[in-house]
Amino acid sequence: MPLFAQLYNFAHWLTQDRAAAEDLVQETYMKALRGFSSFQQGTNFRAWMYKILRNTFLTTQAGLKAGAYVSLDGDSDDDKPSEPADAETPETVLLARVELETIQNALEKLPVRFREIILLSDLEEMSYQEICETLGIPVGTVMSRLSRARKAMRELLAAKLRGASR
Amino acid sequence: MSCDLWRGKLDAYVDSDASQEELASLEAHLRTCPSCAAEALGSLQMKRMTQAAATARYSPSPHLRLRIEESIQPNRKPVWALPWMRLVVAAAALVLIVASVALWMRYSAREQTLAELLDLHVATMASANPVDVISTDRHTVKPWFQGKLPFTFNLPELQNSSFKLVGGRVMYLKHSAGAQLLFELRNHRLSVFIFQDQPAMIPLAMGATTIREMAFNLETWSEGGLRYVVVGDASAADIHELSELLRVAGRS
């Protein structure tokens, strides 16, 4: 099965639950197999698989909650870039003191739509074009959402570090 | 261009999604701006660390792969598609074919035997000398067959019945000798065939014991190692009456 371990990792990151992640991956493969005829040769297979997984996730209980959160938080995605990160916290200094576990915790705390786009970009190293295929949003939105997500991530880390140093 | 604008492009830079042109101008700026360079470095580091933190953070349990492989396997072959099941099906089909062919052969053998007997009866009716021993007395007719047949039989007492014995002759069916007895009932003539119940007669034992064929009625049964066939143009009830008389005589 192609992408098995990566898809599971991504599913577990999204669901934050082993059983839910297992069901999600299983359903993804079943849907992929059933809908393989709809996969167009020459297009991005990886983006196609992640798209199925992510769309399936959005129909689950946890996914619906995450989706509802998106629509209710009023933070619509427009093409405006986010504010530059707070210049007062030089990340080089900040990151030197950060452990992997802290980053994992921060990722878990991020809203799903921020978590997924960071994972697609940083973990899966997808190009903006692939992310836009996977999430079904325009490239401009990919860039602005990614920027917001990273800002939110840095803020979470900064808060964590401030809390720890106190 | 102000540093704020450059920083808006840093994401594309760390994500390797900037165009060649953008990349060249951004790198030129980073060489001259320590603040933006630090920011870029931080973003790059952040990306690397996020990747390290998230990669293989969760690994699938060994049974999950099996579970999924089972669930996405092409539909399990139906039972009849299993190799051993095919053999069983083939064997069953063969048995069925052989059985039906055997049944059909026996059935056609029965039809053939019945047709022969009917022919014998009809030929007897057409003959000027239908019988070789002419007598209404059963004590004359029965002894006449002595030495002519490898078996003996009893003839019924007809005094209180409407049947009349006419006579008898030796006939052959399937290469074996048998007795043909002629009886009269009013204007009807009935033949009674008696022969040894041998394998060639088995087809007669199959199916109904009373048969109607070409307007003739037949009744057949087996008793004491002998096969009896009564045939004539009389009614089935009359044929049966004569058959009963013969059965009783056969048992005495």
Side-chain angles (χ1 to χ4, degrees):
Chain A
M1 285 186 291
L3 303 169
F4 179 61
Q6 297 100 295
L7 278 177
Y8 176 80
N9 187 38
F10 185 65
H12 200 144
W13 270 115
L14 283 186
T15 58
Q16 293 295 303
D17 178 76
R18 177 165 287 276
E22 289 184 345
D23 289 348
L24 186 52
V25 173
Q26 179 169 358
E27 207 170 328
T28 299
Y29 278 105
M30 285 166 73
K31 281 186 179 168
L33 203 72
R34 248 180 282 144
F36 195 70
S37 51
S38 73
F39 172 72
Q40 287 164 339
Q41 293 291 323
T43 61
N44 193 312
F45 178 72
R46 187 167 66 140
W48 186 68
M49 287 297 284
Y50 276 83
K51 184 178 184 173
I52 294 174
L53 189 142
R54 195 230 174 211
N55 287 348
T56 306
F57 168 68
L58 287 182
T59 64
T60 64
Q61 200 107 37
L64 284 172
K65 237 157 73 182
Y69 174 77
V70 171
S71 61
L72 289 176
D73 69 0
D75 184 22
S76 64
D77 277 312
D78 47 36
D79 288 351
K80 285 184 215 149
S82 65
E83 298 295 309
D86 196 343
E88 287 171 1
T89 51
E91 283 163 332
T92 36
V93 182
L94 189 144
L95 284 168
R97 292 150 53 200
V98 166
E99 289 175 5
L100 286 186
E101 203 187 327
T102 313
I103 295 183
Q104 286 167 351
N105 289 339
L107 266 177
E108 283 164 15
K109 283 198 187 104
L110 280 181
V112 169
R113 67 199 191 111
F114 285 166
R115 195 191 312 149
E116 68 179 1
I117 201 165
I118 285 184
L119 289 172
L120 291 178
S121 174
D122 295 355
L123 168 66
E124 309 299 341
E125 293 188 289
M126 284 189 181
S127 67
Y128 291 166
Q129 185 53 41
E130 278 180 291
I131 296 175
C132 118
E133 281 173 37
T134 303
L135 299 183
I137 53 176
V139 176
T141 310
V142 169
M143 291 168 75
S144 63
R145 192 184 291 179
L146 190 57
S147 168
R148 282 169 202 282
R150 283 177 173 155
K151 191 182 170 209
M153 179 87 173
R154 279 193 292 262
E155 281 165 0
L156 275 172
L157 286 175
K160 173 83 184 167
L161 287 172
R162 275 197 298 272
S165 60
R166 256 172 218 161
Chain B
M1 200 173 355
S2 79
C3 282
D4 277 1
L5 282 174
W6 284 116
R7 286 183 188 190
K9 296 180 186 294
L10 279 182
D11 271 331
Y13 173 68
V14 301
D15 291 330
S16 314
D17 237 89
S19 68
Q20 286 294 321
E21 216 174 289
E22 279 177 323
L23 200 66
S25 57
L26 191 66
E27 277 177 346
H29 174 70
L30 291 181
R31 275 196 289 275
T32 59
C33 176
S35 163
C36 281
E39 182 79 20
L41 191 61
S43 292
L44 213 54
Q45 243 181 324
M46 183 79 178
K47 188 178 170 85
R48 298 273 147 75
M49 288 195 76
T50 305
Q51 189 174 36
T55 298
R57 167 83 173 81
Y58 305 107
S59 42
S61 63
H63 78 265
L64 179 63
R65 181 182 282 270
L66 285 174
R67 192 179 102 184
I68 294 175
E69 276 172 350
E70 265 173 38
S71 73
I72 61 177
Q73 252 172 12
N75 287 341
R76 288 240 174 93
K77 285 180 176 178
V79 178
W80 51 263
L82 295 172
W84 64 268
M85 202 61 199
R86 281 188 202 171
L87 267 178
V88 169
V89 168
L94 197 69
V95 165
L96 209 69
I97 289 168
V98 167
S100 38
V101 164
L103 211 67
W104 177 81
M105 280 172 74
R106 281 202 176 182
Y107 181 72
S108 62
R110 171 188 159 91
E111 289 293 302
Q112 212 180 338
T113 309
L114 287 173
E116 265 183 63
L117 288 168
L118 213 58
D119 287 350
L120 278 169
H121 173 70
V122 171
T124 307
M125 297 298 103
S127 169
N129 305 301
V131 287
D132 294 332
V133 51
I134 308 169
S135 175
T136 56
D137 183 4
R138 57 182 176 139
H139 299 297
T140 307
V141 173
K142 185 185 164 183
W144 180 83
F145 283 100
Q146 265 179 32
K148 298 185 177 71
L149 295 175
F151 60 87
T152 183
F153 52 86
N154 288 333
L155 286 170
E157 172 62 61
L158 298 173
Q159 265 180 355
N160 296 322
S161 75
S162 35
F163 293 97
K164 207 178 91 184
L165 184 61
V166 176
R169 67 177 188 119
V170 173
M171 62 88 195
Y172 289 84
L173 182 74
K174 309 278 182 204
H175 313 297
S176 55
Q180 180 180 10
L181 301 153
L182 209 58
F183 290 87
E184 248 180 21
L185 174 68
R186 296 181 296 273
N187 290 327
H188 302 289
R189 286 197 157 187
L190 314 173
S191 283
V192 174
F193 297 99
I194 306 171
F195 28 72
Q196 279 176 297
D197 216 354
Q198 49 189 316
M201 303 304 163
I202 287 175
L204 285 178
M206 297 172 63
T209 52
T210 58
I211 306 125
R212 186 166 171 83
E213 196 154 349
M214 293 167 70
F216 287 97
N217 284 307
L218 285 96
E219 187 160 341
T220 177
W221 72 96
S222 172
E223 196 160 308
L226 297 177
R227 164 67 48 184
Y228 295 78
V229 180
V230 180
V231 54
D233 57 356
S235 72
D238 290 333
I239 298 281
H240 184 68
E241 196 186 335
L242 180 57
S243 300
E244 280 304 303
L245 288 168
L246 284 157
R247 277 196 188 100
V248 170
R251 281 186 212 122
S252 61

